[in-house]
Amino acid sequence: MSTTAPDVSTPPDAAVTFRTGTRRRRKLLLIPLSLLCALGLVLGYLFLTAKPEASTPLGASAVIPGGTARVNGIIPLEKDGWLPPERVQVLDEGPSAGTHRVRILVQFTALEGEGITLDTSQFAVKGLGANSIHPLWTSPAHSQLRQGDSLDATMVFELPNQAIALVLEGPGNTRLSLGLSHHTS
């Protein structure tokens, strides 16, 4: 039989109180940790199962009511200095801080018998970091295309510099990808 000397560094009541307090803190810590884990699982599930909306790749033709639409170019105005033929006050002023302006060239082709009734003001740019941005200027604003006709439209947008995954959305759930070429630093 071996005898050990009792621990005199802490009184017996203090050791029991210390262990009880530690257990209580551990139990209380489990509640926020459990909630955090549950939140992480829910967000992970949503992230992994979310399906991005499909968009037509840059340069490919998308089906629109009455025909097709295709983005032919995305040109930053800061690079080419383009201005519309008539003076437009909103374009005379520079872009807002943290934004850049782009000219989007879209070709519309009427394929069906009823043609295309075009209203370019119905188009908007959407993406991550960009809610729904409507054009500052368009040409033509309105047009009627008969079957077999094609029309090149120009739309000028002011886009946030940090926006990504941008698409040009229009009537009939048209979604045309804008790629990355429009970004300027």
Side-chain angles (χ1 to χ4, degrees):
M1 218 184 326
S2 77
T3 18
T4 57
D7 184 16
V8 291
S9 60
T10 57
D13 290 340
V16 170
T17 305
F18 176 74
R19 276 188 249 131
T20 306
T22 302
R23 286 183 187 152
R24 181 175 292 144
R25 275 186 262 146
R26 284 183 185 163
K27 285 181 182 178
L28 289 176
L29 187 60
L30 284 176
I31 294 171
L33 285 176
S34 298
L35 290 173
L36 189 61
C37 287
L39 180 65
L41 287 172
V42 168
L43 290 176
Y45 173 77
L46 291 175
F47 178 74
L48 293 174
T49 59
K51 297 195 186 235
E53 292 184 56
S55 63
T56 303
L58 183 62
S61 294
V63 176
I64 64 170
T68 62
R70 178 175 58 132
V71 173
N72 282 340
I74 304 161
I75 306 154
L77 293 183
E78 291 84 10
K79 287 188 178 178
D80 73 349
W82 177 90
L83 289 174
E86 72 274 356
R87 185 169 181 191
V88 180
Q89 184 174 351
V90 72
L91 294 179
D92 286 342
E93 303 166 5
S96 303
T99 65
H100 63 283
R101 290 185 178 162
V102 295
R103 178 171 42 126
I104 299 175
L105 308 173
V106 183
Q107 181 182 47
F108 296 94
T109 304
L111 299 176
E112 296 178 12
E114 67 273 2
I116 298 175
T117 301
L118 183 62
D119 179 4
T120 53
S121 67
Q122 292 182 355
F123 285 84
V125 172
K126 294 182 181 178
L128 300 175
N131 291 328
S132 183
I133 302 168
H134 293 282
L136 299 174
W137 179 86
T138 62
S139 176
H142 301 282
S143 188
Q144 180 67 41
L145 279 76
R146 293 179 295 169
Q147 186 177 19
D149 289 348
S150 286
L151 173 80
D152 293 322
T154 302
M155 300 177 224
V156 176
F157 291 89
E158 187 168 291
L159 305 176
N161 291 341
Q162 303 303 318
I164 58 172
L166 296 177
V167 293
L168 179 65
E169 291 188 348
N173 294 324
T174 304
R175 292 178 48 87
L176 300 162
S177 176
L178 298 182
L180 298 173
S181 62
H182 64 88
H183 279 290
T184 57
S185 297

